[in-house]
Amino acid sequence: MADKITQFKPLKMQGFTLIELIVVIIVLAILAVVAASKYVDLKRDAAISDVKATAAAYQQGVTFVHLRWQVSGESGAVNDLEGYIDNILDINPLGYPLGIDKNSPMGSPSNIGKGIQGCLDLWNSLLENPPTVSSSNDGSDYQAYRHEASPSTGDVTQCTYVLRTLGDTQGRLDADMKILYDSNNGTARAIITDL
């Protein structure tokens, strides 16, 4: 037995070759690009859902105001509609909200609010716990725009609220995601541009 001496061969240490490392890095980079694009898509999908839900909530507020106007027996423009948000909401002759603090009697009962403030007041009055809104692109969730007067009637009846949380800096006409309120027909609808 002494004659049989077992010889141990040292184990060879093996590592990755340069080619194997490059292949692994390329595969990881491809996975990262795919995951990042899926994340961006998910973020956009979530924003689309948020805009649609906010537009639906805004529409619900407008509908409730219109019903309140009808139930109160009104048939024209109203300053400070009773029975809704501290009796401060002003209503156009069709029964749809215009804003708050319009002088009584209303000089322009078809115009939204007092300038851009009218659109901001509508947003904060019609929505419960609303996303932030501002008249400028200052980091708020939405930026409000009051439309220009209609050439045919001279009335200002629309507000647009542009979603800014995804970094869209375009104006109200070219923005990707927005909510349009029209006090002529009492509609609030989400407008989503496909990219």
Side-chain angles (χ1 to χ4, degrees):
M1 274 207 199
D3 295 337
K4 289 187 170 179
I5 298 177
T6 309
Q7 291 187 344
F8 291 102
K9 292 184 182 177
L11 293 174
K12 278 179 126 180
M13 297 298 284
Q14 290 187 358
F16 293 106
T17 65
L18 183 58
I19 303 249
E20 291 171 327
L21 287 174
I22 290 173
V23 168
V24 167
I25 290 170
I26 290 171
V27 167
L28 289 174
I30 291 170
L31 289 173
V33 167
V34 169
S37 67
K38 291 292 181 190
Y39 172 74
V40 169
D41 287 346
L42 288 175
K43 194 172 179 181
R44 179 172 166 75
D45 290 346
I48 289 170
S49 295
D50 180 59
V51 169
K52 288 179 178 179
T54 303
Y58 196 108
Q59 180 63 57
Q60 184 178 19
V62 169
T63 300
F64 183 76
V65 168
H66 187 68
L67 289 172
R68 182 71 193 136
W69 176 80
Q70 288 175 324
V71 167
S72 7
E74 301 294 344
S75 61
V78 176
N79 282 99
D80 307 329
L81 179 67
E82 289 188 32
Y84 191 78
I85 59 160
D86 300 327
N87 306 326
I88 60 171
L89 196 60
D90 299 323
I91 310 300
N92 71 10
L94 303 171
Y96 298 113
L98 293 172
I100 63 173
D101 296 330
K102 287 182 65 89
N103 297 330
S104 179
M106 283 188 243
S108 300
S110 296
N111 285 347
I112 287 182
K114 290 184 172 183
I116 187 64
Q117 189 61 43
C119 294
L120 298 171
D121 291 339
L122 283 170
W123 181 267
N124 291 313
S125 298
L126 296 171
L127 295 170
E128 187 173 328
N129 300 318
T132 57
V133 66
S134 175
S135 60
S136 62
N137 191 358
D138 63 359
S140 295
D141 297 325
Y142 286 84
Q143 182 177 357
Y145 292 87
R146 182 176 183 250
H147 291 222
E148 297 81 26
S150 164
S152 59
T153 64
D155 295 335
V156 181
T157 62
Q158 295 180 328
C159 293
T160 295
Y161 305 94
V162 175
L163 181 71
R164 295 296 187 202
T165 58
L166 293 181
D168 187 353
T169 58
Q170 300 181 81
R172 72 173 171 85
L173 297 175
D174 299 320
D176 294 335
M177 293 183 219
K178 56 193 166 191
I179 298 169
L180 174 66
Y181 170 62
D182 188 338
S183 65
N184 272 336
N185 54 20
T187 58
R189 60 187 177 98
I191 299 172
I192 311 296
T193 303
D194 292 327
L195 296 176

